[in-house]
Amino acid sequence: MLAWFAYLQAAPGLVVPHLRDELGLSYSVGGLHIAAFAAGSLLAGLASSRLELAIGRRHLLWWSAALLAVGTVGLTAGHVVAATVGSVLVMGLGGGLLLATIQATLADHHHELSTVALTEANVAASVSYVVLIGAFSLTAALDLGWRSALLVSLIVPVLFWWRNRRLAIETSAPPDEERVRLPRAFWVAAAVLVCVTAAEWCVTAWGATFVVDEVGVSTDTAVSLMAGYFGGVVVGRTVGSRLARRHDPSRLLAVALGVAGAGFVVLWPSAGPAEAVVGLTLLGVGIGNLFPMALSLAVSLAPGLAGAASGRAVMMTSLAVLVAPLTVGALADATSLKIALLMVPVLLVLAASGLAAVRRARRSTPAYR
């Protein structure tokens, strides 16, 4: 289910170049689609804990999946900006609830191995990114259109609901939502999570458009070249899941930040497809580990509060996804997309500074209070 969510979460960034061609959208209006998904997820982060208490984690899992599917159908059916943006908002709401539920379930089920579980789950998510690129490329080759690539994915939740409709999904003893106090160290780690998520979505949302503008290839070719980025994410998370068994996530996060920075240095001045693919691949290897490692670090700093911590994490990362692509779009309209994407290294530097603060906070702040 996490892989299916990731497939649809990444889709708006790849759909935007097509919508810009079909509807004649500016960078800013194109960015609204990414922002709408984030806005829905932001609302989900605010509501997930209370909804879980009201209807239970099992029902929340399947109803949120249904909501994500409804939004997807709306996006494919919409032919005006209001319809497409509104549908992506619904997708974000359902997807955010689904993500928070999955993360909390994994953390509660695996306890001290939650870092490994979350990283391995995100390997599955990153594989779905590559599948998404393949689906877009295949539907383009068969002249079926990008909408077919989204609609075919709706088979997944139906199949998994049918096979697991009686599966018990237990919720840990819920704390009083009004009395939850997450430790200071968690909020420092959450700030790092915001920075790395913003950097990731600057690339996910605008990477294909950047390749179109700077390398001069067609939209379909640029979307296909993004396979280098998403393939790098798969490799990075696969390696990271192995290393997470033996190394502290904060150390792995530091290495990932360095690799992502190196990838941007290669991508930004690229003038041909080969350079772009190398830069995108390096970026993917580094960026692929940023979210799972930062999330694992944050959740580990709030033991016994996985549901609340996951909900807050979804809320804050959704805020990052809401602001970052819109900011890049607005800056691109005012200057150029190449200049606007300089946000990425700035965010990586801020994340590195925050990580140093996390390590200091962990030494001086109790893990739970």
Side-chain angles (χ1 to χ4, degrees):
M1 292 301 290
L2 182 64
W4 175 66
F5 159 77
Y7 182 99
L8 292 176
Q9 183 190 38
L14 300 178
V15 166
V16 163
H18 292 287
L19 290 178
R20 291 186 71 229
D21 291 341
E22 292 177 15
L23 305 179
L25 308 181
S26 67
Y27 287 118
S28 297
V29 176
L32 278 177
H33 292 80
I34 314 299
F37 195 103
S41 297
L42 180 63
L43 295 174
L46 291 169
S48 62
S49 294
R50 289 180 172 83
L51 283 173
E52 182 180 312
L53 290 173
I55 66 175
R57 188 172 285 178
R58 177 176 173 276
H59 288 298
L60 182 58
L61 176 73
W62 298 118
W63 280 111
S64 59
L67 193 59
L68 177 55
V70 168
T72 302
V73 172
L75 173 61
T76 60
H79 294 283
V80 295
V81 172
T84 56
V85 171
S87 296
V88 175
L89 178 69
V90 174
M91 290 175 67
L93 180 59
L97 291 171
L98 185 62
L99 177 61
T101 304
I102 291 170
Q103 289 173 170
T105 301
L106 289 173
D108 282 342
H109 185 72
H110 292 281
H111 302 294
E112 68 276 3
L113 293 177
S114 60
T115 296
V116 177
L118 288 167
T119 307
E120 290 183 350
N122 277 280
V123 170
S126 57
V127 169
S128 73
Y129 297 154
V130 179
V131 174
L132 175 64
I133 295 292
F136 272 111
S137 299
L138 180 61
T139 54
L142 298 176
D143 200 27
L144 295 175
W146 60 267
R147 291 173 175 84
S148 300
L150 301 189
L151 291 174
V152 72
S153 77
L154 302 186
I155 297 170
V156 173
V158 174
L159 175 63
F160 277 88
W161 171 78
W162 180 256
R163 291 178 60 87
N164 298 280
R165 63 192 184 279
R166 295 186 179 88
L167 178 67
I169 302 175
E170 300 296 334
T171 305
S172 61
D176 185 339
E177 191 67 24
E178 300 299 326
R179 297 182 181 180
V180 167
R181 288 190 60 202
L182 295 167
R184 285 194 300 270
F186 166 83
W187 294 107
V188 179
V192 174
L193 188 57
V194 167
C195 290
V196 300
T197 302
E200 176 180 351
W201 278 92
C202 286
V203 178
T204 301
W206 293 110
T209 306
F210 175 84
V211 174
V212 170
D213 291 354
E214 299 301 322
V215 180
V217 298
S218 69
T219 298
D220 286 334
T221 300
V223 170
S224 296
L225 290 176
M226 285 293 286
Y229 171 71
F230 291 119
V233 171
V234 174
V235 172
R237 287 182 176 173
T238 301
V239 173
S241 69
R242 302 299 182 189
L243 294 176
R245 298 174 183 272
R246 301 189 300 273
H247 299 283
D248 184 82
S250 65
R251 294 180 61 190
L252 297 177
L253 181 56
V255 174
L257 286 167
V259 175
F264 184 85
V265 169
V266 175
L267 173 67
W268 195 73
S270 61
E275 297 167 79
V277 167
V278 172
L280 286 167
T281 302
L282 276 174
L283 261 174
V285 171
I287 282 179
N289 279 303
L290 296 183
F291 176 80
M293 294 301 171
L295 174 65
S296 299
L297 183 62
V299 173
S300 71
L301 296 170
L305 296 172
S310 181
R312 303 300 190 277
V314 168
M315 179 182 67
M316 295 185 70
T317 54
S318 299
L319 182 62
V321 180
L322 174 65
V323 172
L326 271 182
T327 302
V328 169
L331 287 174
D333 283 333
T335 57
S336 70
L337 184 57
K338 187 171 185 177
I339 297 299
L341 279 179
L342 287 173
M343 274 187 62
V344 173
V346 171
L347 288 165
L348 295 178
V349 170
L350 289 173
S353 301
L355 179 59
V358 168
R359 300 183 74 153
R360 290 195 299 270
R362 278 206 301 180
R363 290 193 293 266
S364 60
T365 303
Y368 172 76
R369 63 168 56 188

